[in-house]
Amino acid sequence: MYLKAVGAVILLPIQILYYIIKAGVCFLLPSKRKSLTGEVVLITGGGRGIGRHLAKEFAKQGAKKLILWGRTEKCLKETCEEINLSGTECHYFLCDVANREEVYKQAKVVREKVGDVTILVNNAAVVHGKSLIDSDDDALLKSQHINTMGQFWTTKAFLPRMLELQNGHVVCVNSILSQSPIPGAIDYCTSKASSLAFMESLTLGLLDCPGVSCTTVLPFHTNTEMFQGMRVRFPKLFPPLKPEVVAHRTVDAVRTNTAFVHLPWTMHALVILKSILPQSALEEIHKFSGSYTCMNTFKGRT
Ligand SMILES: NC(=O)c1ccc[n+]([C@@H]2O[C@H](COP(=O)([O-])OP(=O)(O)OC[C@H]3O[C@@H](n4cnc5c(N)ncnc54)[C@H](OP(=O)(O)O)[C@@H]3O)[C@@H](O)[C@H]2O)c1
């Protein structure tokens, strides 16, 4: 028993070193990408914003079928028609991910009408551009129900079949604000931090499940309706990401089986600095970047 424990302790740093070298080699060499032919992809919030670009990107990269969920029929229908015209089968269903009965009911409809979902993309989210004191209680609850709890219901609805098939991927479009929260969108940052914990837990929990993996993408500010009107201090220094770039990198991360992706990659620096710098130094970085005040300059998207 004692020898076994000593052996495991000696082995651990060797394994860590091996995986660091492997990651470095993979970073330098072109990675092998899995084919999406045969994959049935469901995207929550697939009608507009990043979700719409994700749908187009999955179709472009060869997915067999797409399913879009959302609350607004007009944009779902438009995106769906565009994908069908491009030659990929696409369906849409009205579904509010905050409503678990609706999620379970629509998941059953999807299985019967379209087939088994093999890639689930949890993308739907809302933001209330108000401080804690100014937000009404229902608005605070709504963002937790959509941004966090919605993922519980969708994942519970589709993951069991993925495990049976030994083929599946759960994707989360998270946010860098989950690791570096800022004021003015306290409900959003809290929901995204909670959603990140959900994905970290799920990713580890699926380690021994062959054929089923997870990808979490953490983008910086992206040019969609979500934070429309937000004024940042140095727009040229920190320009917003294009939603098509976020979509492309997300699909690529699924195909290369990458668990966590920071967009842009320079956001890693923020996460590292956060874990080593004293709070006063971090406050200076926030003051410099203007992130203290930028959240007060937009209305939110609910
Ligand atoms: N924009 C950014 O700066 C940014 C940065 C980092 C991460 N993200 C993340 O990227 C994801 C997509 O955001 P986006 O920028 O594309 O925002 P967006 O343009 O506002 O789109 C949000 C999408 O979520 C859907 N949605 C909202 N509530 C829903 C609900 N209850 N049930 C089903 N669908 C719902 C919306 O459709 P309906 O309104 O029709 O339901 C819409 O399709 C979000 O998870 C967001 O947190 C965005």
Side-chain angles (χ1 to χ4, degrees):
M1 188 71 178
Y2 175 74
L3 278 180
K4 247 186 172 178
V6 172
V9 169
I10 294 171
L11 193 63
L12 182 65
I14 298 170
Q15 285 174 318
I16 292 172
L17 192 66
Y18 167 75
Y19 284 113
I20 292 173
I21 294 168
K22 192 176 169 201
V25 171
C26 289
F27 181 73
L28 294 173
L29 297 177
S31 316
K32 220 175 113 196
R33 281 162 177 76
K34 72 173 174 188
S35 163
L36 295 178
T37 326
E39 304 293 351
V40 178
V41 186
L42 186 144
I43 304 169
T44 68
R48 58 186 173 84
I50 295 172
R52 178 187 167 92
H53 287 279
L54 278 168
K56 292 196 322 189
E57 191 65 34
F58 270 110
K60 195 170 131 194
Q61 296 208 30
K64 185 179 171 197
K65 295 181 192 178
L66 280 154
I67 301 137
L68 315 178
W69 277 7
R71 301 163 304 176
T72 318
E73 182 154 21
K74 189 174 175 290
C75 59
L76 287 170
K77 193 165 180 256
E78 276 170 15
T79 307
C80 196
E81 280 171 0
E82 195 182 334
I83 307 266
N84 276 319
L85 274 177
S86 74
T88 304
E89 185 180 326
C90 186
H91 304 261
Y92 75 86
F93 300 89
L94 286 175
C95 184
D96 179 346
V97 296
N99 180 336
R100 72 171 188 269
E101 297 310 331
E102 204 173 306
V103 169
Y104 295 151
K105 191 174 141 212
Q106 291 296 17
K108 200 163 166 263
V109 174
V110 165
R111 260 191 301 276
E112 284 162 7
K113 291 198 176 158
V114 189
D116 289 318
V117 169
T118 54
I119 301 180
L120 165 67
V121 186
N122 285 314
N123 163 76
V126 290
V127 62
H128 295 279
K130 288 186 182 154
S131 70
L132 178 67
I133 307 298
D134 293 335
S135 299
D136 72 74
D137 294 355
D138 286 338
L140 293 172
L141 274 175
K142 191 176 168 186
S143 40
Q144 309 315 304
H145 280 302
I146 297 174
N147 303 6
T148 308
M149 298 311 293
Q151 288 185 87
F152 281 64
W153 319 137
T154 56
T155 308
K156 277 196 80 180
F158 295 109
L159 183 61
R161 186 66 183 138
M162 292 181 189
L163 293 170
E164 269 173 29
L165 295 170
Q166 298 201 340
N167 177 29
H169 209 115
V170 180
V171 184
C172 167
V173 183
N174 199 280
S175 165
I176 194 62
L177 294 183
S178 63
Q179 291 188 301
S180 183
I182 53 179
I186 197 165
D187 59 324
Y188 180 81
C189 296
T190 306
S191 71
K192 287 292 175 183
S194 168
S195 152
L196 178 62
F198 172 85
M199 286 307 289
E200 285 180 332
S201 181
L202 191 71
T203 305
L204 286 177
L206 291 174
L207 277 184
D208 290 331
C209 302
V212 184
S213 352
C214 293
T215 291
T216 305
V217 182
L218 300 101
F220 173 68
H221 177 211
T222 306
N223 206 354
T224 65
E225 285 175 58
M226 184 164 264
F227 293 105
Q228 210 170 37
M230 187 171 85
R231 286 192 298 277
V232 292
R233 189 167 172 211
F234 301 114
K236 290 231 164 72
L237 202 57
F238 305 110
L241 293 166
K242 291 184 179 148
E244 47 271 50
V245 171
V246 175
H248 178 79
R249 293 293 308 277
T250 304
V251 177
D252 203 54
V254 171
R255 295 189 63 193
T256 51
N257 236 339
T258 310
F260 294 93
V261 180
H262 290 76
L263 290 177
W265 67 270
T266 44
M267 288 295 127
H268 280 288
L270 195 64
V271 179
I272 295 167
L273 288 177
K274 219 194 134 188
S275 61
I276 53 174
L277 289 182
Q279 178 64 17
S280 46
L282 287 168
E283 285 165 9
E284 285 310 313
I285 294 178
H286 281 297
K287 278 182 199 161
F288 169 79
S289 67
S291 61
Y292 263 124
T293 49
C294 67
M295 281 294 177
N296 303 327
T297 59
F298 79 105
K299 282 205 173 74
R301 188 72 169 87
T302 57

